[in-house]
Amino acid sequence: LEKYQVNLLLLDDGTPIRKEAEKSAQWEKIFRDIVGALFIKKSPENRHIIDSVLKLKYPNTAFGYFSRAFAYGKKGMLNEGIKELKAGLLIDPKEPDLHNALGRFYNAKHELDNAIIYYKKAVELEPERFLAARRNLAVAYEKKGMFKEAMDEYEIIVKLNPESNTGLKAKKSIQRLKK
C-alpha cells in the first residue's frame, strides 16, 4: 500500500489489497457497502475528512439498516431484522437488495406469501441483473407448490445467464421439476 501516493482508496470486497488496508495502521475504513469499502490514509491533514465521514456513517443510510438487519439475522432475531430492513426502505424504497433481504427474512420465518411479495419487488426493480432474487422467488414458488411460476422464473434465469452459478442451479431445478 505504501507505494500508492494517494489519500483515498476504494476497494472491492475480497481483493488482497483490501485485506492489507484493513490490517494496516495507516489506513482507516470510513465507509462500507455491499460492493466494497472506502479507506482514507490516517494523517493530520485528513483528520477532518475522517471525522466528517464517520459522523455520516451508518445510522441514516439504507445500507446501515441492511447491515444491522444482517447482524440480527445471524443471531436469529428475524423480527428485529425485518424492522431494520423496512426502515431502510423508507430511505431507499427502490433498493432491490433490501427487498430481497426482506424476502429472505420472511422465508426464514416460513411466511412465503410475504417472501414472494418482496422477492417479486426486487426482481421488478432489477429484472436482468438480480438473478439471485429471481432464484429466491422461484424457490419460494416451489415451496408453495406453484410449480409453473417456479419453472417460469428458472427459465428466465437460464435465458439471461445460463453459465453463471445461478444459471447452472436453475438448469438443475428445471430438470428436477420436469420429472
Side-chain angles (χ1 to χ4, degrees), residues 87-102:
L89 284 176
L90 293 174
I91 293 170
D92 190 355
K94 293 187 177 188
E95 174 49 63
D97 290 308
L98 292 171
H99 290 281
N100 186 55
L102 268 163

Side-chain angles (χ1 to χ4, degrees), residues 96-175:
D97 290 308
L98 292 171
H99 290 281
N100 186 55
L102 268 163
R104 292 183 65 160
F105 273 74
Y106 280 118
N107 187 35
K109 290 181 65 171
H110 308 287
E111 294 182 23
L112 292 176
D113 290 330
N114 285 329
I116 287 169
I117 289 168
Y118 286 103
Y119 290 145
K120 283 172 83 171
K121 185 64 177 179
V123 168
E124 176 187 315
L125 290 167
E126 297 242 2
E128 294 185 11
R129 181 192 71 87
F130 210 168
L131 297 182
R134 191 175 292 279
R135 184 170 187 283
N136 291 339
L137 176 59
V139 170
Y141 279 146
E142 258 192 272
K143 287 180 179 179
K144 281 204 58 134
M146 300 169 69
F147 300 112
K148 182 197 178 314
E149 291 85 350
M151 183 71 85
D152 290 346
E153 295 301 328
Y154 288 132
E155 288 174 350
I156 292 169
I157 292 168
V158 171
K159 181 180 173 189
L160 290 172
N161 198 341
E163 300 308 315
S164 69
N165 189 34
T166 305
L168 296 173
K169 287 178 183 177
K171 286 178 186 178
K172 288 180 182 176
S173 295
I174 290 169
Q175 291 171 346

Side-chain angles (χ1 to χ4, degrees), residues 11 23 28 32 42 48 58 85 87 106 114 138 146 161 164:
L11 303 171
K23 292 177 185 175
E28 184 166 346
R32 185 193 182 292
K42 291 181 183 176
H48 72 284
Y58 287 146
L85 291 166
Y106 280 118
N114 285 329
M146 300 169 69
N161 198 341
S164 69

